[in-house]
Every structure is written in C-alpha cells, then in structure tokens.
Amino acid sequence: MSNKHNAREAILDTASRLFFTQGYHATGLNQIIKDSDSPKGSLYYYFPHGKEELVLTCINRTSEMVSQNLRHYVEGEDSPAQAVQNFILSMAREAEESSFEGLVPFSFWVAVETSCVSNELRTACQCVFKDWQDVIAQRLMKDGMQEEAAVGKATVVVSLFEGALLLALTCRNVQPLVAAAESIPAILA
Amino acid sequence: MSNKHNAREAILDTASRLFFTQGYHATGLNQIIKDSDSPKGSLYYYFPHGKEELVLTCINRTSEMVSQNLRHYVEGEDSPAQAVQNFILSMAREAEESSFEGLVPFSFWVAVETSCVSNELRTACQCVFKDWQDVIAQRLMKDGMQEEAAVGKATVVVSLFEGALLLALTCRNVQPLVAAAESIPAILA
DNA sequence: TTTATTATGTAGACCAATTGTTATAAAAGT
DNA sequence: ACTTTTATAACAATTGGTCTACATAATAAA
C-alpha cells in the first residue's frame, strides 16, 4: 500500500484535486492520467463508466472526508459557535498556506457544475450538503435547540461557509472567511 | 432596434444565460451561435478575441445589472435588514418561478471557474463582488455603522447569499434562500 | 442620378487540436 | 494457467478558432 504505485488511489487523489480546483469540464482525463503518472488503460479499468463515474467516486469519497473533519470540530468540547468558528478559521489558515489551491475538498462550487451533467451527480451533491448540515443540526439539537430552528441555522452556516469560500477563492483573500467566522455567534444565538 | 436581428445583443443574451447556468467550460461556442440563431462569423466579428472576450463582456454587463438591482432594494425606504431580506426573497421567488434555471445573473459560482482561466477574468469577477459589497456597506454606514464593521457585515451578506444560491441550485429547493433571509437581521444587528 | 468604392455584417466551410472512449495486446502477479 | 493490470493505438465527435466568399448599406465621384 506504500511503495507500489497503486494507480487507483493515485488517479482518485489527482482527479479530486483537479476537479475541485479547476472544475469538472475544465479538467481533462489526459491531465489526470499525466499528473497522476497512471496509464489511461488503468483509468478505464478501475472506472469503466469513464469520467462521470470517476467524478462521482471523487464526490462520495470527499463527502466522507468532509463529514469526518467537520465532526471532529463540532462534536468536541467547545460550544457550537466556537466549534464552527474554529472549523472555518482552520480553513482560512489552510487556504493561506496553500496559496488558495488546497481548499479541496471543501469548496463545493463544483456541485452546481456537475448538477447540470446528470441527475445522479446532482443527487450525490445534495447528499454531501445534507450530511454536512446534519452534523451541525444534530449538535445544535443536543444543546436544546428545536429541530426546525436547528435545521434552518445549520443550512445558513453551510451556505455562509460555501459562499465565503467562493469569495475567498475568487479574491485570493481570506477576509471573507474571517468575516464569516466572526458572524457565526450572532447567527447561532 | 426591434425587428432587426441584432446579432451582437442576441449573442450576448444567449451566452450570458448559458454561461451562468451551465458554466464557462460546459458552454460551447457552437451552442451559443445555434441558440442565438447567429452565425459564427458574427461572433468573431463582434468579439475578435473569442470566447474569453465574450465571457468577459457577459460578466461586466451582468455586473452592472446586479449593482442596479441591488441598489433598487438597498437604497429604498426600508431598514437595511428589511431591504436585504426582500432582495433575497425576491430571488427565491424568481428561482421557483423559473424552475431554478433563471437565477441568472446572480448565481456567480462561475466566478471561481473563470478565475482559473486568466487573471483578467479573475480581476473582473473580484470587481463584481466588490461592487456588490460596496452597495451594502455604504448603506450600513449611512445608518451609522463604523466602516470596518460595515465592510465585514457586507462581505458576510454577500457570502451567505452566494452560498445559499449554491445550495438552492444544487438541491432545486428555495429553503436555503429562505433560511438565509431569516438570518439577516441577526447578522446585521 | 448614376456609378464606383468602401465599410459593415453575414454565412458557413474548414482547420488543427483535443475531448472522452474503445479495442486489443502485452505484461505482471499469483 | 489464469486473473489482474498496464500499455498503446486508434476512434468519432467536438472544441475554439481561422478563413474566404458574399451580401448589404453608406458614401464619394462621375
């Protein structure tokens, strides 16, 4: 699992990175196989349905990473507001360190792009957002918030986070993320 | 100006619609010229630098529309919170009426996509967000808010709005927009 | 007023390059 | 021997872009 090339994993890693930074249509299969040093034969061996199956796998794989990471913050000792703030600020830190090229896999603007490709992809992207919201909503409810309010606030948090990422990536500046983090307490109050 | 075909305007209208719903790379020039009933010769006559010049024109054109529409709401009689709420809810209404295909030109996720294409495009997209924020920040300052706070809150509002659009488009559901509107008073307080 | 001349657009065939995809055969690993 | 994986070559389709021929309209010269 270490020194062997392991084409499948290499392809998935590279494809995820490229899809989530450049976009679905902007990323060609040729670039993926070249960047991952994997042969094209392997790509269609592991993903017989081609590009769409590949991006679907990337999305699902990413979805789990996202849930896990978010849970790490939200299910800790801190208050919900503190936890979400820390999560967003850790993204801002990561963004700066990687010169706005490593926000993968949290900038999910590619969801809208792939939603136009097929219904299967749209459903998968919906689930990602849903999982994300659930983690936050569950925590809010555990703190005594009514379900309806918790779901609403969780949606707002996810929307704000995604939007702030959108602006941060476009402007190459963490300010939107910092401002978003600062406004979290007011939102969750 | 009415019965004559006016290829330039037809191309811009169609291109804007397609770029902002499908994305930059997903929209081919052939589709644009077919949907707008304009010949390819005209496209390169009016936009000699091709696709990039075309999308740049679409973005700038849209930028002005956005500023104008937002100003209409924000510079009215209502309180800032009321104004922004009305603006977002009007988007939600428009989204439902058009079955989530007419959110153009407010869903600006295409900004991240085009930002990868060239620095010129990234700068243009930055300006769009900047204008948008300025309209809100100016209004907040007129109501007595400190500049620093006003700019921060304006950024949050724009981020939240863009993120809510992202979720709404992906889930084909206005709930994120409604939830965003509801949280505006708490954010601007 | 008629005739030339020059812009202004239109129309679409055509191009090289690249897209995603398939087929087939050679290896490698067990 | 047999499955798994790799390595290419070729595929049709489409991409953004170029090119030339053509029509129309405006202006100038006769």
Side-chain angles (χ1 to χ4, degrees), chain A residues 130-168:
Chain A
K130 184 71 166 46
D131 285 353
W132 213 331
Q133 285 168 228
D134 278 350
V135 173
I136 297 171
Q138 290 296 330
R139 172 62 204 268
L140 291 175
M141 283 159 68
K142 213 178 71 181
D143 272 40
M145 196 179 283
Q146 295 274 52
E147 178 170 359
E148 202 183 344
V151 171
K153 303 233 176 197
T155 308
V156 170
V157 168
V158 174
S159 297
L160 175 56
F161 177 54
E162 280 302 311
L165 272 171
L166 204 83
L167 266 70

Side-chain angles (χ1 to χ4, degrees), chain A residues 11 19 35 43-44 56 60 68 80-81 93-94 99-100 114 116 131 141 152 157 161 166 171 176 183:
Chain A
I11 289 172
F19 280 146
D35 280 30
L43 199 159
Y44 275 90
L56 183 61
N60 287 332
Q68 212 175 318
R93 223 175 305 123
E94 210 176 292
S99 306
F100 299 92
T114 53
C116 298
D131 285 353
M141 283 159 68
V157 168
F161 177 54
L166 204 83
C171 302
S183 74

Side-chain angles (χ1 to χ4, degrees), chain A residues 13-175:
Chain A
D13 285 343
T14 305
S16 294
R17 201 188 75 236
L18 294 175
F19 280 146
F20 285 95
T21 48
Q22 302 180 342
Y24 177 71
H25 291 97
T27 304
L29 296 186
N30 293 326
Q31 191 187 2
I32 293 175
I33 62 118
K34 199 166 64 179
D35 280 30
S36 66
D37 280 318
S38 305
K40 191 171 258 188
S42 300
L43 199 159
Y44 275 90
Y45 174 74
Y46 291 112
F47 308 96
H49 299 300
K51 196 180 187 185
E52 203 173 317
E53 183 183 356
L54 179 59
V55 78
L56 183 61
T57 310
C58 289
I59 288 173
N60 287 332
R61 191 177 184 248
T62 292
S63 170
E64 284 182 37
M65 269 177 63
V66 168
S67 292
Q68 212 175 318
N69 191 311
L70 191 61
R71 243 185 283 270
H72 163 75
Y73 279 92
V74 161
E75 292 178 354
E77 308 278 323
D78 297 333
S79 71
Q82 269 291 337
V84 171
Q85 263 185 321
N86 287 340
F87 174 71
I88 295 180
L89 289 176
S90 80
M91 282 299 111
R93 223 175 305 123
E94 210 176 292
E96 258 182 339
E97 281 168 9
S98 68
S99 306
F100 299 92
E101 281 173 17
L103 287 181
V104 176
F106 299 98
S107 62
F108 236 79
W109 61 272
V110 80
V112 195
E113 200 194 0
T114 53
S115 291
C116 298
V117 175
S118 80
N119 272 327
E120 199 181 356
L121 286 176
R122 219 193 77 239
T123 307
C125 291
Q126 274 184 245
C127 289
V128 175
F129 289 137
K130 184 71 166 46
D131 285 353
W132 213 331
Q133 285 168 228
D134 278 350
V135 173
I136 297 171
Q138 290 296 330
R139 172 62 204 268
L140 291 175
M141 283 159 68
K142 213 178 71 181
D143 272 40
M145 196 179 283
Q146 295 274 52
E147 178 170 359
E148 202 183 344
V151 171
K153 303 233 176 197
T155 308
V156 170
V157 168
V158 174
S159 297
L160 175 56
F161 177 54
E162 280 302 311
L165 272 171
L166 204 83
L167 266 70
L169 279 172
T170 306
C171 302
R172 302 263 162 105
N173 193 321
V174 293
Q175 189 252 331

